[in-house]
């Protein structure tokens, strides 16, 4: 603002795309597949706004080890039935998670690496099982990106969210969202803004 004033928008329009493209190889996806947002709660809200939970498919399944703001967001949503998978305080046993995800499950927000214990969840098995019963997974890679190999394409991840604060050594206010290409073509979020317009 001090040196360029309003003309600084020329680079600000493209900066989020460039940062997203820097993140893409770390997450195992391609250029132009990452959008940037303020925080993970906002990314979860954008994803949630694409769905209309109605019985019998209105369950949201997550563990008691998820980051508090993620739990708070989902517990505040109307029309969803929350199913919380109990942990042992360090791990979330895979069999408990798989048993909780059934034909009534709409969404599964899950951390690839748990923030409290650094336990690595079996994302591939959870995504595979969720898809087999028609559920959609929101994979949170906040604690995973930069610490373990991630390939969203190989995982067949529906969504991936996270931020650059931890192991990517970035600053605050930069969260990312990946949406699988076939879902991008058919989902329409109700939470939109200025940058969502075709000609902002």
């Amino acid at each position: 603002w001090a040196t360029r004033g309003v003309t600084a928008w020329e680079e600000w329009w493209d900066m989020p795309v460039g940062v997203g493209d820097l993140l893409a190889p770390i997450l195992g996806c391609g250029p132009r597949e990452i959008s940037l947002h303020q925080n993970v709660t906002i990314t979860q809200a954008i994803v949630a706004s694409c769905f209309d939970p109605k019985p019998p498919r209105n369950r949201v399944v997550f563990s008691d080890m998820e980051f508090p703001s993620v739990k708070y967001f989902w517990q505040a949503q109307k029309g969803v039935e929350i199913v919380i998978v109990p942990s042992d305080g360090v791990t979330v046993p895979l069999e408990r998670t798989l048993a909780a995800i059934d034909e009534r499950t709409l969404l599964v927000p899950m951390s690839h690496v748990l923030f409290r214990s650094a336990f690595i969840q079996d994302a591939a098995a959870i995504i595979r099982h969720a898809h087999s019963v028609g559920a959609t997974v929101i994979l949170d890679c906040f604690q995973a990106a930069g610490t373990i190999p991630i390939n969203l394409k190989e995982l067949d991840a529906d969504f991936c969210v996270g931020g650059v604060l931890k192991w990517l050594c970035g600053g605050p206010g930069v969260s990312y969202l990946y949406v699988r290409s076939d879902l991008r073509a058919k989902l329409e979020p109700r939470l939109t803004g200025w940058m969502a317009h075709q000609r902002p």
Side-chain angles (χ1 to χ4, degrees):
W1 286 121
T3 59
R4 295 191 53 196
V6 73
T7 62
W9 279 108
E10 293 171 4
E11 61 191 75
W12 291 340
W13 286 126
D14 296 327
M15 192 182 301
V17 176
V19 174
D21 287 352
L22 289 173
L23 292 169
I26 297 169
L27 298 170
C29 60
R32 305 291 200 251
E33 291 192 314
I34 300 288
S35 62
L36 298 187
H37 304 274
Q38 295 93 329
N39 55 57
V40 166
T41 306
I42 294 297
T43 62
Q44 297 271 350
I46 292 167
V47 172
S49 77
C50 295
F51 294 88
D52 188 14
K54 291 182 180 172
R57 192 176 288 278
N58 67 333
R59 287 187 168 186
V60 175
V61 176
F62 54 83
S63 81
D64 61 10
M65 296 284 276
E66 288 303 315
F67 196 75
S69 63
V70 172
K71 292 193 289 188
Y72 301 158
F73 170 77
W74 287 108
Q75 289 167 334
Q77 299 312 297
K78 293 182 179 178
V80 301
E81 179 186 344
I82 300 297
V83 177
I84 298 179
V85 180
S87 68
D88 60 16
V90 176
T91 72
V92 181
L94 178 62
E95 61 275 9
R96 289 184 192 171
T97 301
L98 299 184
I101 301 168
D102 60 20
E103 289 77 5
R104 296 166 291 179
T105 305
L106 178 64
L107 295 165
V108 182
M110 64 158 290
S111 292
H112 197 169
V113 176
L114 300 179
F115 86 101
R116 289 183 194 269
S117 66
F119 175 70
I120 302 171
Q121 298 203 84
D122 190 341
I126 294 169
I127 291 169
R128 211 168 30 246
H129 175 70
H131 289 174
S132 75
V133 296
T136 301
V137 175
I138 308 167
L139 184 64
D140 186 334
C141 288
F142 209 127
Q143 302 291 335
T147 62
I148 61 172
I150 301 168
N151 191 313
L152 298 176
K153 302 286 190 178
E154 289 180 4
L155 288 171
D156 196 24
D158 303 302
F159 300 95
C160 176
V161 303
V164 302
L165 269 178
K166 289 288 183 168
W167 315 113
L168 297 178
C169 303
V174 182
S175 183
Y176 52 83
L177 170 63
Y178 162 86
V179 183
R180 202 177 65 221
S181 61
D182 63 305
L183 294 177
R184 283 199 311 269
K186 66 183 181 182
L187 292 178
E188 189 171 331
R190 293 186 299 276
L191 176 53
T192 63
W194 183 12
M195 300 294 188
H197 195 279
Q198 286 183 352
R199 297 176 60 215

